[in-house]
Amino acid sequence: TSLLTGLLGNISKKSDEDLWFEGARGIKLTIWPGNHLLKKPKSWIVAGELVETNRLYARNIANIEPKWVERICQHRLQKTWSEPFWDTRTGEVMAHEQGALYGLSLYHGRKIKYAFMEPVDARKIFIQRALVEGALLGQVDISQIQKHSGKTFQFFWKNQQIIQQVEALEHRSRRQDVLVSDQIIYEFYAEVLPESILSRSSLQAWIEKHPSHAPQLELSKEDLMRHEATHISDDRYPKHLPMMGTQLALHYHFEPGSPKDGVTLVVPIALLNQVDERRCAWLVPGLCVE
């Protein structure tokens, strides 16, 4: 490791073909014949000298670990980041980091906090994935969100409920133009939230420090609807069908080609043989016109 400090240009790693080593700045080299490591070298080596005859040879070599190189060459390391993603477990936008020295990749796929590297891009991903797409608290059932988030994320619980209500209107009316686009919801959050909000923890700290700001994050039903949906009423699109002295639930789903598409009557198994087939042959009033 002491010698590595002055020999960073002489490191190399074994190629995929095992016939030669990839050196710094794209050179290719082989181990000097007769060297004690010729038969079983490790994946990474450093050479005391490079000699070029009919080919480039590495002499006076030793096995090394890439983490040794990383530790002493932080000032030379070239880092790149790829595939940023929202990590529900940590509540952070993460990315995969790759570190290279003179074109040699020392490591790749290391998870790091993307906000430290690209805060502007991390903020966009946080707002889109966590708030707009509803992944702030992970795969939590909407009925459980309030319990998991407490009072801090009350706005998120309320917004998700309203979005589900508007989406239910879309399913009932068989239209996909009731809920506003994700871009409008994104712009709403981007305008209200400070530039420093890049993660779940920073959002929580901001709300707890400024509780009066939390209501500004709440969306209304009018904010989320492109147009009025007064025609989608319970008498035209009922939620229940009276039959056999009870109210049977009706579920609406708009997904052409799916087995769930249309209106589904939920029947307790004990009443299954009593269902009136003639009643089931009719559509709900709102769909009879078509």
Side-chain angles (χ1 to χ4, degrees):
T1 54
S2 299
L3 291 171
L4 270 174
T5 307
L7 295 173
L8 290 176
N10 287 13
I11 66 172
S12 57
K13 69 174 181 178
K14 191 182 295 185
S15 69
D16 295 334
E17 291 83 6
D18 281 348
L19 300 176
W20 42 272
F21 279 75
E22 300 175 8
R25 302 182 181 90
I27 63 175
K28 295 181 180 180
L29 50 89
T30 55
I31 297 176
W32 183 261
N35 188 282
H36 68 290
L37 294 179
L38 180 63
K39 292 184 178 180
K40 292 185 177 181
K42 288 190 175 181
S43 298
W44 288 81
I45 62 172
V46 62
E49 59 179 336
L50 300 178
V51 178
E52 186 169 9
T53 55
N54 60 330
R55 64 178 65 180
L56 188 62
Y57 289 101
R59 299 182 60 177
N60 300 328
I61 66 171
N63 290 320
I64 60 171
E65 297 292 337
K67 61 183 178 182
W68 302 348
V69 182
E70 179 189 352
R71 189 163 60 241
I72 64 176
C73 73
Q74 287 294 325
H75 60 297
R76 297 278 187 179
L77 208 59
Q78 292 182 325
K79 298 180 180 180
T80 56
W81 307 279
S82 62
E83 302 173 359
F85 63 96
W86 168 250
D87 188 346
T88 307
R89 185 180 61 82
T90 61
E92 299 274 357
V93 177
M94 309 293 285
H96 295 103
E97 182 181 78
Q98 176 175 320
L101 175 68
Y102 302 141
L104 290 174
S105 177
L106 296 174
Y107 63 87
H108 61 86
R110 181 179 296 174
K111 290 183 180 180
I112 53 98
K113 292 183 179 180
Y114 194 50
F116 292 157
M117 314 305 167
E118 299 287 347
V120 176
D121 197 27
R123 183 173 184 268
K124 293 178 180 178
I125 296 172
F126 166 69
I127 294 176
Q128 178 63 36
R129 290 284 293 115
L131 300 177
V132 177
E133 298 179 19
L136 178 66
L137 303 172
Q139 298 298 321
V140 182
D141 185 80
I142 190 67
S143 61
Q144 298 296 315
I145 286 179
Q146 191 175 21
K147 184 180 76 171
H148 282 257
S149 60
K151 294 182 179 180
T152 305
F153 298 131
Q154 280 291 321
F155 80 92
F156 179 73
W157 171 68
K158 291 178 180 178
N159 290 349
Q160 291 301 108
Q161 274 197 326
I162 296 174
I163 288 173
Q164 284 201 351
Q165 290 172 11
V166 177
E167 287 176 340
L169 292 176
E170 287 188 326
H171 286 294
R172 290 170 75 182
S173 62
R174 299 189 64 79
R175 297 178 61 172
Q176 291 183 322
D177 60 349
V178 180
L179 183 66
V180 297
S181 66
D182 284 355
Q183 183 62 30
I184 294 177
I185 302 176
Y186 173 90
E187 291 172 357
F188 168 81
Y189 284 121
E191 184 177 349
V192 176
L193 291 173
E195 298 289 333
S196 59
I197 305 301
L198 309 173
S199 64
R200 185 168 59 213
S201 58
S202 60
L203 175 62
Q204 181 174 354
W206 179 70
I207 293 175
E208 290 175 352
K209 186 177 180 180
H210 308 283
S212 60
H213 294 346
Q216 300 175 19
L217 294 168
E218 294 182 9
L219 289 158
S220 67
K221 204 167 185 178
E222 291 71 26
D223 293 331
L224 292 169
M225 294 177 65
R226 282 197 176 97
H227 50 74
E228 288 291 331
T230 53
H231 65 287
I232 311 174
S233 57
D234 284 347
D235 59 332
R236 290 173 55 80
Y237 298 90
K239 296 181 180 179
H240 298 88
L241 178 66
M243 189 182 294
M244 299 169 291
T246 185
Q247 298 285 334
L248 300 181
L250 292 175
H251 288 179
Y252 296 81
H253 190 78
F254 180 40
E255 188 183 354
S258 167
K260 296 181 180 179
D261 183 58
V263 188
T264 301
L265 177 68
V266 183
V267 185
I269 194 166
L271 303 178
L272 190 57
N273 61 348
Q274 303 175 46
V275 173
D276 187 346
E277 294 185 24
R278 294 172 298 175
R279 295 285 304 279
C280 295
W282 283 86
L283 286 169
V284 294
L287 299 177
C288 281
V289 176
E290 289 189 22

